[in-house]
Amino acid sequence: MPRRLKEFSDFKTVRDLIINNSKEFGNNTAFTQQITKATETEKSTYRKWTYSEFYEDFKYLGHVFRRFGIQKGDRVALIGNNSYSFSLAFLTLASGIGVPAILPNVFTKEAVASACNEINAKFAICDLSKSDLVPNGIPVICTSDILS
């Protein structure tokens, strides 16, 4: 007998969905990210994360965000490339820790400042390479510092 797919309404929050996926699909691959590009002599390398690993990182990052002072309702600018850490930060914030606001990683320093002002950003989360775009006065959390 085919297994019934869960209805979206079975999950009240993003957190519920992540917990369910960890239980149901634990050792299955949830994310794959290219780490190095192929060269003439080497193949590309990839890093994979299971649903269980994602859930553990999700819980950890939620604690880190709380320790940094992010509170429910705080708007947080997310700046970076599509990556595991970016997805993890977005989903952790969306689970009720804060309110994620994705800013395009091609924004100039002036555009980031304008967007942060417009959304009243209390924090910014980004890759180290993007941290210089964030206006003074807004605390920056670098994903490379917390997810190494």
Side-chain angles (χ1 to χ4, degrees), residues 64-130:
V64 169
F65 287 168
R66 289 283 188 227
R67 280 193 309 230
F68 271 98
I70 298 175
Q71 299 177 7
K72 186 174 184 164
D74 284 348
R75 292 187 172 98
V76 181
L78 281 171
I79 310 163
N81 297 318
N82 186 11
S83 64
Y84 175 75
S85 59
F86 188 84
S87 300
L88 178 63
F90 175 82
L91 289 169
T92 302
L93 289 167
S95 73
I97 301 268
V99 179
I102 297 173
L103 305 183
N105 65 357
V106 295
F107 267 14
T108 62
K109 186 174 181 84
E110 294 76 23
V112 169
S114 176
C116 285
N117 183 53
E118 185 69 28
I119 66 170
N120 193 25
K122 301 285 187 216
F123 295 87
I125 297 171
C126 59
D127 298 330
L128 183 59
S129 65
K130 302 290 182 181

Side-chain angles (χ1 to χ4, degrees), residues 48-60:
K48 294 181 179 188
W49 290 266
T50 65
Y51 284 95
S52 293
E53 290 170 322
F54 179 80
Y55 179 54
E56 291 304 313
D57 288 347
F58 171 82
K59 291 188 301 185
Y60 168 75

